[in-house]
Amino acid sequence: MSGLADNFDAILLDLDGTVYLGHRPIPFVADTLKTVLASGSRPMYVTNNASRPPAVVAAQLREMGLTLTQDDVLTSPQAATALLVQRHPPGSVVLVVGAPYLADEVAAAGLVPVREANADVVAVVQGHSPDTGWAMLAEACVAIRAGADWVAANVDTTLPTDRGLLPGNGAMVAALMAATDCHPRVAGKPARAMIDEAILRSASVAPLVVGDRLDTDIEAAVSAGVAGLLVFTGVSSPADLLTASPARRPTFVSFDMRGLVDSHAVVEVLGGGAGWQVDEHDDTLILRAVASAGADSSDRAQDNAALHALAALAQVAWNTRVSAVTAGDERASVALARLGIGADQFTGSAAP
Ligand SMILES: [Mg+2]
């Protein structure tokens, strides 16, 4: 089966919402990535998570049936360390705010991790740790105010847990921004540094970023100038796609990871739309099936038709203000239901 992955030599995969949800693997991922590997493209797992080393992430993914080594995993501390090394020679002293693993990465790069501010500190690197408290932030504040370079592993404001959303690294970074009037350089998505580092490590000339979030994965892809595939197995929905700002628009959309290996399961947003017509009336998009379209009622055909409908809608929505989408006929109703787009989806929202 030929598919999208054949056109790319590295597939840079997000984890949560793309490969797994919490501790559950997402359907079709293992089989799809087997096919990707067999076709000669290299999957790389690119995660903002700053507290787990690549070997731990790789072991978890192998338990889900994936084939990989720790070299196929890139974490935000690795990308943050790459940013540090660009500016600071080996032996430079770096104040570490974060998990022990972050300090390990700093040391592995030939830098000297410390936990207290002193006159030798040239940089501060900050990643999530549940043990970070005021005293640690105070050390970082002293160093940053004294002019140290400041790198954040990521700026995710919240951390999803089984108790709900808790303060993420971005919240702790925000505290230091308030106290220093400085801004960190950021490694993790949506910054491009993670993608740049993944491309470097995989020696890729044709990378594809795959993820479930417009505001992290896809924005990072756009920022790095590479193609992005949005999958609807996590946070962002088809309705979100229609109101995405230019900095967050994916090249391709697919319901799930099968879009990498099945050409019917993926659509190029700006090249798709076959079989559909979209009219605009008073901020409302009206979707209609073109009469000559096939009547194949298989799930695979329905999914393909729905993705083309989404592409047709996006092509119009990305150039206008949208407050509602409605179906102009029965086939359009089926497609919109498959996409989870309701008639009142955009009422009251501020589209671009
Ligand atoms: Mg995700």
Side-chain angles (χ1 to χ4, degrees):
M1 206 183 306
S2 81
L4 186 64
D6 291 341
N7 302 324
F8 299 94
D9 59 3
I11 311 295
L12 311 182
L13 298 150
D14 172 54
L15 290 180
D16 205 17
T18 302
V19 169
Y20 55 67
L21 268 177
H23 295 287
R24 285 181 297 122
I26 289 173
F28 313 113
V29 167
D31 285 346
T32 294
L33 293 178
K34 266 194 192 86
T35 306
V36 166
L37 268 174
S39 75
S41 305
R42 178 180 178 187
M44 274 198 82
Y45 302 85
V46 180
T47 174
N48 268 11
N49 189 307
S51 48
R52 298 190 308 160
V56 173
V57 176
Q60 181 197 4
L61 294 175
R62 280 195 296 268
E63 274 176 28
M64 294 180 177
L66 304 182
T67 301
L68 76 158
T69 72
Q70 68 180 68
D71 293 340
D72 299 315
V73 176
L74 178 68
T75 65
S76 61
Q78 291 175 305
T81 302
L83 285 179
L84 289 171
V85 166
Q86 282 168 13
R87 283 201 188 165
H88 309 288
S92 298
V93 177
V94 177
L95 177 69
V96 176
V97 180
Y101 161 58
L102 179 58
D104 293 345
E105 283 295 342
V106 167
L111 303 167
V112 179
V114 296
R115 293 287 186 171
E116 284 174 10
N118 65 50
D120 296 331
V121 169
V122 296
V124 173
V125 65
Q126 184 172 9
H128 172 71
S129 165
D131 299 324
T132 298
W134 183 89
M136 195 66 243
L137 292 181
E139 294 304 311
C141 187
V142 168
I144 294 164
R145 282 190 163 277
D149 181 25
W150 180 19
V151 172
N154 67 66
V155 287
D156 301 346
T157 49
T158 56
L159 194 70
T161 75
D162 51 15
R163 298 176 66 198
L165 295 177
L166 297 179
N169 195 50
M172 305 299 261
V173 165
L176 273 178
M177 282 169 52
T180 62
D181 284 327
C182 292
H183 291 261
R185 296 192 288 147
V186 179
K189 299 174 281 187
R192 64 174 293 170
M194 284 283 280
I195 305 303
D196 291 340
E197 185 63 16
I199 291 169
L200 193 71
R201 288 181 182 223
S202 57
S204 172
V205 293
L208 174 68
V209 171
V210 182
D212 69 302
R213 288 185 73 130
L214 293 165
D215 61 354
T216 54
D217 309 310
I218 300 305
E219 185 169 326
V222 171
S223 174
V226 305
L229 165 64
L230 178 69
V231 290
F232 297 124
T233 47
V235 171
S236 296
S237 69
D240 295 332
L241 179 84
L242 299 185
T243 53
S245 64
R248 297 177 174 178
R249 292 176 180 172
T251 322
F252 306 99
V253 288
S254 175
F255 282 107
D256 53 52
M257 201 84 92
R258 286 177 294 179
L260 283 174
V261 294
D262 177 355
S263 58
H264 275 72
V266 64
V267 164
E268 183 172 2
V269 180
L270 294 181
W276 298 99
Q277 177 186 324
V278 175
D279 297 306
E280 190 196 345
H281 183 72
D282 286 347
D283 293 350
T284 297
L285 301 186
I286 304 156
L287 177 71
R288 290 190 180 88
V290 174
S292 61
D296 186 341
S297 62
S298 69
D299 279 352
R300 188 162 172 257
Q302 296 277 342
D303 282 356
N304 182 257
L307 290 173
H308 276 289
L310 181 61
L313 289 166
Q315 287 166 23
V316 180
W318 286 356
N319 288 302
T320 188
R321 193 194 142 80
V322 182
S323 54
V325 175
T326 63
D329 56 38
E330 182 52 32
R331 294 240 307 279
S333 295
V334 171
L336 291 181
R338 180 73 190 89
L339 293 165
I341 296 177
D344 58 352
Q345 193 89 48
F346 306 101
T347 306
S349 76

